C-alpha cells in the first residue's frame, strides 16, 4: 500500500492509497489509540453509493457508529455545523472517539471544522470521495462560510488518517470527476510534471485506479511539503497552492457559485498563465500546453460571456491574499517555478482576462 507521511507541529499522520481501501477502514484505524465510537459525517447519495462497505468494516471490528448526513450544495454554514455538534452529543462523542468525513469538499470542510472545535478537538479521519478533494485534500486546515462571506472562518487542524480509495471516484458524474483534473493540472505546473501528466492523461480520464493514485499522491505530496514548511500560512510558501485561485474565487463569486470550484479553477489557471506570459515571459507554448490539457478534459478555458471585468476586479480585491491595498498573484516563471507578486496593475489583470474572453 502506498503511503505518505505528514508531520505538523501538533500531529503526524499518514495518507494511505489504494483501491477498495474503505473495506479495511477499521483495520487501518488499529494502532491509532481511538475508542470504537464513530460519527460518520457524509451526504445521502454517498451513503447510498458506498456506505455499506464502510459499515461492514466498522461492524466487523465491533465499532459503534452513527451517520450524520449534511445537506449538499452551497452549505458550509454554522447552522449545518451546529447540527453536527448535536449529532456528536447524541453519539456520545468524546475526545477519544472518531469523526469520519466521508464525502467531497463540502463534507470535508464541515467535518474538519466540527472536529477541530467540538470539545476543542476530536480525532478526525478523512475519506475523500471526489477527485477534486482527493487531489486537493484539506492539508493544514479548513474553512467554512459566514453570511458575510465565503471561507471567513477556519482553523489549522490535522486529521489522524487520510484514506485515499481510488474506487470511490468511479461513481462520480463526468462533470464532477473532471473538476479534480483542474487541481491536478495546478500541481503539475507547481512541480513540473506536466509532460508526464500529458502522457498519462487518457488513463486519468478513463479513471484507471493506479493513475488516479499516482496523481493524488504527487498532488498531496506537494501540498504537504509546502504546508509543513508554513503551517500557519504566514511565510509566503503555502500560498503557492493558491495558483489560479485569485481568479477562480472571483469568477465563482461573480457567478454566484453557479459554477463549480474545479471549472472556475480551470479558467483561473488559464488567466494566471496569460498574466505570467505578459509579466514574466512565461513561454506561450507552455500556456497553450496547459490550456489544451484542461480543454481535453472537457474543462472551460475561457471566461464565460457576460462577466463584467470591473466586477471581477472588485471580487479580486476581497481575496484573502489582498494586503497593503494590493492584490497578490501567484505567477508562473516557468513550469516548477512559481513567483508571488503584488506588482500587478488592474490593467494587467484586465488584459489577461480579455485574452481568455470568448
Ligand atoms: N479546504 C480545502 O483544502 C479545500 C480544497 C478544495 C476544495 N474545498 C472545498 O470543497 C468544495 C468543493 O469540493 P467538491 O468538488 O468535492 O464538491 P462537493 O463536496 O460539493 O461534491 C460535489 C458533488 O459530488 C457528489 N459526490 C461526492 N462524492 C461522490 C461520489 N463518490 N459519487 C457520486 N457523487 C459524489 C456530492 O454529493 C456533490 O453533489 C468547495 O466548497 C471548496 O471550497 C476545500
Ligand atoms: Zn482549489
Amino acid at each position: 500500500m502506498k503511503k505518505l507521511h505528514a508531520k505538523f507541529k501538533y500531529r503526524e499522520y499518514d495518507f494511505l492509497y489504494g483501491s477498495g481501501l474503505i473495506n479495511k477502514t477499521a483495520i487501518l484505524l488499529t494502532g491509532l489509540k481511538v475508542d470504537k465510537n464513530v460519527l460518520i459525517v457524509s451526504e445521502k447519495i454517498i451513503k447510498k453509493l458506498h456506505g455499506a462497505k464502510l459499515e461492514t468494516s466498522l461492524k466487523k471490528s465491533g465499532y459503534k457508529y452513527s451517520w450524520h448526513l449534511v445537506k449538499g450544495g452551497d452549505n458550509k454554514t454554522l447552522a449545518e455545523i451546529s447540527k453536527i455538534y448535536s449529532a456528536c452529543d447524541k453519539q456520545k462523542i468524546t475526545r477519544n472517539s472518531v469523526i469520519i468525513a466521508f464525502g467531497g469538499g463540502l463534507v470535508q470542510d464541515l467535518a474538519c471544522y466540527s472536529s477541530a472545535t467540538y470539545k476543542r478537538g476530536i480525532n478526525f479521519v478523512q475519506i475523500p470521495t471526489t477527485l477534486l478533494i482527493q487531489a486537493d485534500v484539506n492539508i493544514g486546515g479548513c474553512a467554512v462560510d459566514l453570511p458575510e462571506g465565503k471561507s471567513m472562518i477556519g482553523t489549522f487542524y490535522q486529521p489522524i488518517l487520510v484514506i485515499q480509495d481510488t474506487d470511490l471516484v468511479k461513481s462520480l458524474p463526468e462533470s464532477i470527476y473532471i473538476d479534480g483534473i483542474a487541481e491536478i493540472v495546478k500541481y503539475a505546473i507547481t512541480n513540473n510534471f506536466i509532460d508526464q501528466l500529458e502522457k498519462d492523461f487518457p488513463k486519468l480520464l478513463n479513471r484507471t485506479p493506479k493513475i488516479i493514485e499516482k496523481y493524488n499522491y504527487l498532488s498531496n505530496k506537494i501540498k504537504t511539503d509546502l504546508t509543513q514548511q508554513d503551517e500557519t500560512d504566514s511565510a509566503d510558501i503555502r500560498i503557492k497552492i493558491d495558483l489560479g485561485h485569485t481568479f477562480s474565487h472571483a469568477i465563482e463569486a461573480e457567478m454566484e457559485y453557479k459554477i463549480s470550484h474545479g471549472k472556475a479553477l480551470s479558467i483561473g489557471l488559464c488567466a494566471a498563465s496569460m498574466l505570467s506570459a505578459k509579466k514574466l515571459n512565461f513561454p506561450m507554448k507552455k500556456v497553450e500546453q496547459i490550456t489544451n490539457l484542461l480543454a481535453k478534459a472537457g474543462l472551460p478555458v475561457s471566461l464565460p460571456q457576460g462577466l463584467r471585468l470591473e466586477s471581477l476586479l472588485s471580487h479580486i480585491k476581497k481575496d484573502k491574499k489582498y494586503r497593503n491595498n494590493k492584490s497578490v498573484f501567484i505567477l508562473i516563471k516557468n513550469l516548477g517555478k512559481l513567483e508571488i507578486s503584488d506588482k500587478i496593475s488592474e490593467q494587467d489583470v484586465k488584459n489577461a482576462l480579455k485574452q481568455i474572453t470568448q
Side-chain angles (χ1 to χ4, degrees), residues 43 45-46 49-50 72-73 76 103-109 129-133 136-139 141-143 151 168-173 176 179 183 223 245 249 252 260-262:
E43 265 186 82
I45 170 105
I46 299 162
L49 288 167
H50 302 288
K76 281 198 276 185
L106 166 78
V107 164
Q108 298 302 327
D109 275 336
T129 63
T130 61
L131 182 66
L132 184 132
I133 205 70
D136 196 40
V137 63
N138 317 49
I139 298 172
C142 53
S151 301
L168 297 172
V169 301
K170 282 187 195 157
S171 58
L172 287 172
I176 298 176
D179 283 341
E183 295 283 0
K223 191 166 182 177
H245 283 70
H249 288 150
E252 283 172 77
S260 68
H261 177 63

Side-chain angles (χ1 to χ4, degrees), residues 43-208:
E43 265 186 82
K44 196 172 167 191
I45 170 105
I46 299 162
K47 182 183 179 198
K48 191 170 162 218
L49 288 167
H50 302 288
K53 294 173 266 184
L54 185 55
E55 287 191 353
T56 305
S57 167
L58 294 173
K59 257 187 225 159
K60 238 197 271 173
S61 293
Y63 276 81
K64 191 159 77 77
Y65 63 86
S66 63
W67 290 84
H68 176 76
L69 304 178
V70 304
K71 191 160 93 29
D74 184 16
N75 189 31
K76 281 198 276 185
T77 61
L78 284 177
E80 198 61 53
I81 285 161
S82 179
K83 290 182 198 160
I84 299 177
Y85 295 148
S86 301
C88 286
D89 183 62
K90 216 168 148 200
Q91 182 65 10
K92 300 195 170 42
I93 292 292
T94 69
R95 292 174 98 175
N96 289 335
S97 308
V98 182
I99 292 180
I100 295 183
F102 188 42
L106 166 78
V107 164
Q108 298 302 327
D109 275 336
L110 286 171
C112 170
Y113 190 86
S114 309
S115 304
T117 47
Y118 189 71
K119 296 190 176 170
R120 302 189 201 183
I122 307 295
N123 297 309
F124 160 56
V125 171
Q126 295 187 270
I127 310 182
T129 63
T130 61
L131 182 66
L132 184 132
I133 205 70
Q134 286 193 347
D136 196 40
V137 63
N138 317 49
I139 298 172
C142 53
V144 296
D145 305 336
L146 284 179
E148 288 79 4
K150 292 268 160 189
S151 301
M152 295 281 277
I153 43 172
T155 166
F156 300 110
Y157 193 65
Q158 324 300 344
I160 57 168
L161 179 69
V162 182
I163 299 175
Q164 292 279 33
D165 184 342
T166 42
D167 281 1
L168 297 172
V169 301
K170 282 187 195 157
S171 58
L172 287 172
E174 184 64 9
S175 154
I176 298 176
Y177 180 77
I178 60 171
D179 283 341
I181 306 275
E183 295 283 0
I184 293 173
V185 170
K186 175 190 81 177
Y187 287 111
I189 300 168
T190 311
N191 267 35
N192 192 10
F193 55 79
I194 205 131
D195 291 341
Q196 202 184 342
L197 178 64
E198 203 165 27
K199 278 193 208 119
D200 286 333
F201 219 53
K203 285 186 182 160
L204 184 61
L205 294 179
N206 276 340
R207 310 190 195 191
T208 306

